[in-house]
């Protein structure tokens, strides 16, 4: 009975999301309310009012890390979108190559992770799906491809979900980021191959298979390198830029061969190519400026020391620290201001961007708070510890196989690795301790599997079909993308077992 009580807040999330078809905000607050009720009236999990208040405040503080980054990340996207910069980037990709497979490699394998790494929470779908439709892909394929493009979610919104996982799981951020990159490496290749198959079928795989392996391999390798040696927050952005660069090199070399074969084509395209390069450089300027700011703050010790020691929100009683100037949120804010002035964005456009930002920001922020606060209360009341002990006793050595499934369920339910990590990472870490496994390895699996299953989340699928205008195909797309995402969990399991084996030997 006590185990069922401990599990009840999570069951409420399932009930509200899938049976009663409620929003993530309502599901989150419903579960949060149930956790408070259980902790208030049951002797086994009893917390005083002051303890409930403390856990809720701590949940709000941890959520503020996400809210800060997300607010300005979404605002930057809307500024760029309303100013037409996103369309310029799309046009550049469209004119770079007429080959649909290469267009998909650029858009889905490289550009989508870039947008998601900066803005997060499915915004890449809003950007990529319309471009694919404009390039001639069917609305069904464009929606599927835009969902498959959510392959770098651990680093979405400058890795806010991974930061939350690090805070709640007690795993150093760089360790969690690097470990997640290792487990994600085979899935980068898998999702790239799926995207190429959707775009060009078996013939596309045969023709561009080697290219796909190299581009996705460059993404995987660079994401790991940047996590391990530069910055977890920057890893997704920089890895995506590397992958874009590699694919553009493939395209350039093939164009050179075509020009050698046809000198007249070379004369016709040189001036147009020069103009496109100038325009893409201008359109990418906000992203490049943001990357430069983050490099300065992470790689130059005097700058890093200054930013981490000034304007720091430090609340010792909640074990909480937020260096306001060092947070990626501040760098994105400066980038927003830079973008407004450099491009001379008008007041009307700024006001519209603010309205659109607030409309998207509030639901995500409130649902994140609810999930994190629920997790804090469950942890404080001993519910998480009881569930961890029960899971360790029930599954034993099989827990390693179950771990990615638990993370995946959270990602599928909430549509966010932030929400899933808030629900489950503490449970995963404690279960690993009880079973004698590496707690860090279970943290990697939780963060990675949750991230991959977000692409199959009903909320993400709904966003995709809404953008593409094919609501009637929602169930068909949900079934297809669920199957695609589930295979990625199998790859995470294999990578996890391989990593555990290598650690033991």
């Amino acid at each position: 009975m006590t185990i069922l009580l401990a599990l009840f807040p999570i069951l409420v999330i399932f009930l509200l999301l899938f049976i009663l078809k409620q929003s993530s905000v309502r599901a989150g607050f419903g579960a949060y309310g149930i956790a408070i009720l259980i902790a208030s009236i049951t002797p086994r999990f009893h917390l005083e009012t002051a303890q409930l208040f403390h856990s809720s405040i701590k949940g709000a503080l941890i959520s503020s890390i996400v809210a800060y980054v997300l607010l300005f990340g979404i605002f930057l996207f809307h500024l760029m979108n309303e100013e037409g910069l996103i369309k310029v980037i799309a046009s550049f990709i469209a004119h770079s190559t007429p080959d649909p497979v290469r267009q998909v490699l650029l858009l889905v394998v490289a550009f989508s992770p870039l947008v998601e790494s900066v803005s997060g929470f499915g915004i890449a779908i809003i950007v990529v799906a319309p471009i694919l439709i404009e390039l001639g892909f069917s609305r069904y394929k464009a929606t599927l491809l835009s969902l498959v493009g959510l392959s770098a979610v651990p680093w979405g919104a400058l890795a806010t979900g991974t930061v939350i996982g690090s805070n709640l799981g007690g795993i150093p951020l760089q360790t969690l980021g690097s470990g997640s990159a290792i487990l994600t490496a085979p899935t980068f290749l898998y999702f790239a191959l799926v995207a190429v198959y959707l775009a060009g079928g078996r013939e596309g795989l045969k023709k561009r298979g080697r290219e796909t392996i190299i581009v996705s391999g460059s993404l995987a390798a660079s994401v790991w390198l940047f996590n391990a040696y530069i910055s977890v927050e920057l890893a997704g952005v920089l890895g995506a830029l590397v992958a874009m660069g590699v694919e553009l090199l493939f395209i350039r070399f093939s164009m050179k061969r075509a020009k050698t074969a046809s000198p007249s084509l070379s004369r016709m395209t040189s001036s147009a190519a020069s103009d496109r390069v100038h325009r893409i450089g201008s359109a990418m300027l906000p992203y490049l400026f943001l990357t430069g700011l983050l490099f300065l703050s992470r790689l130059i010790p005097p700058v890093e020391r200054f930013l981490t020691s000034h304007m720091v929100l430090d609340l010792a009683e909640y074990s909480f620290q937020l260096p306001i100037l060092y947070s990626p949120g501040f760098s994105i804010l400066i980038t927003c201001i830079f973008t407004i002035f450099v491009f001379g964005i008008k007041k009307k456009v700024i006001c519209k961007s603010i309205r659109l930002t607030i409309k998207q920001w509030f639901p995500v922020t409130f649902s994140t708070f609810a999930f994190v606060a629920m997790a804090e209360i469950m942890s404080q009341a001993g519910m998480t510890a009881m569930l961890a002990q029960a899971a360790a006793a029930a599954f034993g050595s099989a827990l390693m196989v179950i771990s990615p499934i638990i993370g995946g369920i959270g990602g599928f339910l909430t549509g966010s690795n932030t929400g899933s990590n808030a629900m489950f990472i503490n449970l995963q870490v404690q279960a690993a301790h009880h079973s004698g496994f590496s707690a860090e390895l279970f943290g990697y699996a939780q963060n990675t599997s949750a991230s991959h299953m977000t692409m199959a989340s009903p909320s993400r699928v709904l966003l995709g079909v809404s953008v593409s205008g094919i609501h009637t195909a929602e169930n068909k797309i949900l079934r297809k993308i669920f199957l695609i995402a589930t295979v990625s969990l199998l790859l995470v399991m294999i990578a996890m077992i391989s990593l555990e084996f290598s650690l033991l030997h």
Side-chain angles (χ1 to χ4, degrees):
M1 182 64 183
T2 51
I3 292 175
L4 186 60
L5 271 176
L7 190 62
F8 198 58
I10 295 170
L11 294 177
V12 166
I13 294 171
F14 277 87
L15 174 69
L16 290 173
L17 280 176
F18 286 97
I19 307 299
L20 301 180
K21 306 292 184 184
Q22 297 298 306
S23 67
S24 293
V25 176
R26 289 181 179 179
F29 274 96
Y32 171 51
I34 290 295
I36 290 175
L37 183 64
I38 292 170
S40 300
I41 64 174
T42 59
R44 176 64 180 81
F45 302 117
H46 184 69
L47 293 177
E48 299 296 332
T49 303
Q51 292 174 301
L52 289 169
F53 183 74
H54 183 278
S55 295
S56 298
I57 293 296
K58 188 172 182 180
L61 290 170
I62 293 171
S63 302
S64 70
I65 299 169
V66 176
Y68 184 25
V69 176
L70 186 60
L71 177 63
F72 297 113
I74 296 174
F75 184 47
L76 177 62
F77 162 73
H78 284 300
L79 285 174
M80 292 179 67
N81 192 47
E82 294 299 318
E83 193 60 19
L85 302 182
I86 298 295
K87 285 184 178 178
V88 171
I89 297 170
S91 175
F92 172 80
I93 291 170
H95 288 94
S96 293
T97 174
D99 185 340
V101 172
R102 281 183 161 160
Q103 289 172 345
V104 162
L105 284 170
L106 267 177
L107 270 170
V108 177
V109 179
F111 182 60
S112 180
L114 173 63
V115 175
E116 193 65 14
S117 294
V118 174
S119 303
F121 296 90
I123 284 179
I125 297 170
I126 299 171
V127 176
V128 170
I131 299 173
L132 288 167
I133 292 168
E134 196 172 316
L135 290 172
F137 289 89
S138 71
R139 292 177 183 273
Y140 174 78
K141 273 192 179 179
T143 306
L144 267 180
L145 285 165
S146 67
L147 290 165
V148 171
L150 301 179
S151 60
V153 170
W155 300 277
L158 297 180
T160 50
T162 302
V163 171
I164 289 288
S166 170
N167 273 277
L168 293 176
I171 302 170
L173 179 59
Q174 192 171 35
T175 302
L176 183 57
S178 301
S180 298
I182 292 170
L183 295 192
T184 303
T187 65
F188 276 136
L189 172 60
Y190 164 67
F191 288 128
L193 290 171
V194 168
V196 167
Y197 179 77
L198 288 171
R202 291 183 181 178
E203 189 60 37
L205 283 172
K206 201 177 293 183
K207 189 177 179 182
R208 302 287 180 217
R210 185 172 63 91
E211 190 172 322
T212 303
I213 292 169
I214 292 171
V215 173
S216 59
S218 70
L219 177 62
S222 55
V223 164
W224 178 79
L225 283 168
F226 291 127
N227 269 285
Y229 299 107
I230 305 293
S231 162
V232 174
E233 296 100 324
L234 267 175
V237 175
L238 295 174
L241 287 171
V242 169
M244 279 186 74
V246 170
E247 179 54 30
L248 286 170
L249 282 174
F250 271 108
I251 292 169
R252 185 175 179 183
F253 287 138
S254 67
M255 284 179 68
K256 272 189 174 181
R257 287 196 296 269
K259 287 175 183 179
T260 302
S262 176
S264 60
L265 178 65
S266 178
R267 289 191 296 271
M268 287 168 60
T269 58
S270 59
S271 61
S274 177
D275 179 59
R276 286 201 303 272
V277 169
H278 174 75
R279 292 184 69 200
I280 189 66
S282 177
M284 290 289 289
L285 195 57
Y287 289 148
L288 298 174
F289 180 78
L290 173 61
T291 303
L293 282 181
L294 290 167
F295 257 117
L296 285 172
S297 64
R298 270 64 182 167
L299 298 181
I300 299 179
V303 175
E304 184 176 13
R305 280 195 298 271
F306 178 84
L307 295 176
T308 52
S309 60
H310 290 75
M311 289 186 68
V312 177
L313 180 61
D314 190 353
L315 300 172
E317 62 177 306
Y318 296 102
S319 305
F320 178 81
Q321 259 198 355
L322 175 59
I324 293 168
L325 300 180
Y326 187 71
S327 166
F330 183 73
S331 295
I332 305 175
L333 169 60
I334 298 299
T335 304
C336 290
I337 295 169
F338 169 83
T339 303
I340 289 168
F341 281 101
V342 168
F343 293 94
I345 299 176
K346 295 177 182 177
K347 184 179 177 181
K348 183 181 177 181
V349 174
I350 296 171
C351 291
K352 183 180 179 182
S353 298
I354 290 171
R355 286 196 302 271
L356 292 169
T357 298
I358 290 171
K359 186 178 178 181
Q360 285 183 300
W361 180 75
F362 269 114
V364 175
T365 301
F366 282 137
S367 62
T368 299
F369 161 72
F371 287 125
V372 174
M374 177 205 75
E376 284 294 326
I377 288 170
M378 288 181 67
S379 178
Q380 185 74 14
M383 297 182 216
T384 303
M386 175 170 281
L387 290 174
Q389 289 170 1
F395 296 111
S397 59
L399 192 63
M400 185 171 288
V401 176
I402 301 299
S403 175
I405 296 173
I406 293 171
I409 289 170
F412 179 72
L413 283 172
T414 64
S416 155
N417 76 321
T418 302
S420 181
N421 283 348
M423 287 167 60
F424 291 132
I425 198 163
N426 201 6
L427 170 66
Q428 296 257 36
V429 166
Q430 290 193 40
H433 280 306
H434 286 297
S435 301
F437 291 115
S438 163
E440 290 178 348
L441 184 60
F442 274 56
Y444 309 158
Q446 162 63 38
N447 193 39
T448 306
S449 56
S451 299
H452 293 332
M453 284 304 291
T454 60
M455 67 174 65
S457 167
S459 62
R460 290 288 178 267
V461 173
L462 178 59
L463 177 62
V465 297
S466 299
V467 169
S468 300
I470 49 166
H471 285 277
T472 54
E474 183 177 350
N475 286 335
K476 183 181 178 183
I477 288 173
L478 181 58
R479 288 194 299 271
K480 188 81 169 180
I481 196 66
F482 183 82
L483 179 62
I484 291 169
T486 301
V487 173
S488 75
L489 291 188
L490 180 61
L491 293 175
V492 171
M493 287 178 198
I494 294 169
M496 186 184 179
I497 292 167
S498 301
L499 191 56
E500 174 72 7
F501 184 80
S502 67
L503 289 172
L504 289 173
H505 296 83

